[in-house]
Amino acid sequence: MSAAEAPGGSAAGLMDRIYRHQRHIYDASRKFYLLGRDQLIDGLQPPPGATVLEIGCGTGRNLIRIARRYPSCACCGLDVSSAMLATARAAVARAELDDRIQLAEADATGFDPQALFGLQGFDRIVISYALSMIPPWQGVVAEALRRLTMGGSLHIVDFGDQSGLPASFKAVLLRWLALFHVTPREDLPGTVRALAEAAGADCRIGAPYRGYAMHAVVGRRGA
């Protein structure tokens, strides 16, 4: 998540305040409505020895699944919340994956892979339900595309426009999400397409669960 200024202080401080206590029950509660995360992980299909980065890694839930699903890959995660990273580090240690997963506190709109992880870029980058919490989210997508290796791909899942669901459902969902400073980005598909085109990358976008979620894969063409 981004360290850009948010009402009442930095985004880092805001996220720490929101999740200082919630982080302990985050995974148990979010599994019911953060849909499509495991399908995204199944679709990564990184080559042997690939590097994988999750932006906005939160509790480390996805990174642990990725590391187990693709045991030859090196996994990295960054988040702006020190509270969330504390939970992630404990989870990674319990999973005995300290040697496979590196974590760092950083601003998603501008980070240095070499300084953080000793890497020039990543073969796969994952952003799972994080863009809806980052005000300058367009900059996060642009930065992720910059950090892909040649032939690498960016995988995004987040809230969609709920176009196939009853209007009453959408209204209740938006009120609920607002309690956690979450704002679905209805222009996310168009923005991702435009950024992909500008980067000379291929783009596939879907709207699973009747539009509840948006899933995008942006592939950087090889040399």
Side-chain angles (χ1 to χ4, degrees), residues 12-31:
L14 176 62
M15 292 300 102
D16 281 344
R17 289 194 297 275
I18 293 173
Y19 292 115
R20 181 165 289 115
H21 302 295
Q22 284 190 51
R23 61 195 172 100
H24 301 297
I25 61 168
Y26 185 93
D27 291 333
S29 61
R30 266 58 175 185
K31 69 180 180 180

Side-chain angles (χ1 to χ4, degrees), residues 72-89:
S72 73
C73 292
C75 299
C76 303
L78 63 83
D79 204 290
V80 77
S81 169
S82 59
M84 279 296 213
L85 285 171
T87 296
R89 290 190 177 97

